[in-house]
Amino acid sequence: MPISFAPPGDKAALEEGLAFTPKFDRDGLINVVAVGAAHGEVLMVAHMNAQSLARTLETGEAWYWSRSRQALWRKGETSGQLQRVVEMRTDCDQDALVIRVEVGGDGGCCHTGRHSCFYRVVAATDGSSVRLAADA
Amino acid sequence: MPISFAPPGDKAALEEGLAFTPKFDRDGLINVVAVGAAHGEVLMVAHMNAQSLARTLETGEAWYWSRSRQALWRKGETSGQLQRVVEMRTDCDQDALVIRVEVGGDGGCCHTGRHSCFYRVVAATDGSSVRLAADA
């Protein structure tokens, strides 16, 4: 039977219940944080819609929704950097997900070639503007 | 001089530049992932607007934007669970932030009393529906 998601219940059900009723936003999306399974470092932040979330649960591989392409996005399909989901968690109000992933291919995640998308630190203010510092 | 944010530049500037030009969504918000400074575990996912982001950078404490209350939200103001920001990172397209925080008070984060908001694992499908499992 294909996976489907019931609409969110009341506050008590959302916070303390054991039914997974993800709260999609008005675009039908939920925030997803992918962390590396080995060390727990944050790799990327992306979105899923109900279809990609169901497919992720069915296949054990991360499928996102690409907002720029408005299309289902099997992460790593072209790069080989597939993400095998070893754990998925949801938060108190079920409007965000954290997935722990084992990354295929060369183990990278970011389309720029870095291991993680978060390769720059917000470093210092310079007058009224703010500078970034890249990882070595 | 108060901190302000220039509008995002082109793809190259966003991805490889060292100017921090956060990309706010159509509600003026950016996704923020708070992780514990000591172990890097994901504590919560929330949002900042330009004002709360500037205040976070100015004070070194996490200020969010509460979508439910439509108000600036100094995290921990009533609970004592203030978040001291020891590092802020942005991602390739500068539309998400990760902050490493040291938590004050009893060290918790979630309004339900848990250490982290992600206290439930998306566990198993039961027919077409999906069940959660709570941490012990």
Side-chain angles (χ1 to χ4, degrees), chain B:
Chain B
M1 204 175 340
I3 289 173
S4 60
F5 305 105
D10 62 14
K11 187 175 154 72
L14 271 177
E15 293 180 354
E16 303 298 335
L18 294 182
F20 182 43
T21 57
K23 218 160 68 179
F24 298 101
D25 68 15
R26 67 181 188 273
D27 295 322
L29 302 178
I30 190 167
N31 284 322
V32 183
V33 181
V35 306
H39 304 291
E41 75 281 17
V42 177
L43 299 175
M44 61 187 281
V45 173
H47 300 82
M48 292 183 184
N49 65 3
Q51 188 186 5
S52 62
L53 177 53
R55 196 167 295 190
T56 298
L57 290 167
E58 286 158 358
T59 64
E61 277 180 355
W63 284 75
Y64 298 99
W65 178 257
S66 167
R67 292 178 302 171
S68 55
R69 291 184 283 111
Q70 290 285 302
L72 272 181
W73 168 26
R74 184 186 177 215
K75 172 68 182 165
E77 184 160 58
T78 53
S79 67
Q81 296 170 344
L82 296 166
Q83 295 182 344
R84 196 171 76 80
V85 180
V86 298
E87 185 184 76
M88 179 184 287
R89 287 177 175 269
T90 191
D91 67 346
C92 43
D93 55 358
Q94 301 198 33
D95 70 350
L97 303 173
V98 171
I99 55 175
R100 295 180 71 90
V101 299
E102 289 175 347
V103 181
D106 65 1
C109 174
C110 184
H111 75 286
T112 66
R114 277 90 163 187
H115 174 65
S116 157
C117 293
F118 291 88
Y119 51 86
R120 285 171 301 182
V121 175
V122 179
T125 58
D126 173 15
S128 66
S129 70
V130 181
R131 306 294 297 171
L132 301 174
D135 285 338

Side-chain angles (χ1 to χ4, degrees), chain A residues 7-125:
Chain A
D10 61 15
K11 186 175 154 72
L14 271 176
E15 294 181 354
E16 303 298 334
L18 294 181
F20 182 42
T21 56
K23 218 160 70 178
F24 299 101
D25 68 14
R26 67 182 188 272
D27 294 323
L29 302 178
I30 190 168
N31 285 321
V32 183
V33 181
V35 305
H39 304 292
E41 75 280 16
V42 177
L43 299 175
M44 61 186 283
V45 173
H47 298 83
M48 292 183 183
N49 64 3
Q51 188 187 4
S52 62
L53 177 54
R55 196 165 296 189
T56 298
L57 290 167
E58 285 157 359
T59 64
E61 277 181 355
W63 285 74
Y64 298 99
W65 178 257
S66 167
R67 293 178 300 171
S68 56
R69 290 184 284 112
Q70 290 286 301
L72 272 182
W73 167 28
R74 183 184 176 217
K75 173 67 183 166
E77 185 160 58
T78 54
S79 67
Q81 298 169 345
L82 296 166
Q83 296 182 344
R84 196 171 77 81
V85 179
V86 298
E87 184 186 76
M88 179 184 288
R89 288 177 174 268
T90 191
D91 67 346
C92 42
D93 54 359
Q94 301 198 35
D95 70 350
L97 303 173
V98 171
I99 56 175
R100 295 179 72 90
V101 298
E102 288 175 347
V103 181
D106 65 2
C109 174
C110 184
H111 74 286
T112 65
R114 277 88 164 188
H115 174 66
S116 159
C117 294
F118 291 89
Y119 50 85
R120 287 171 299 182
V121 175
V122 179
T125 57

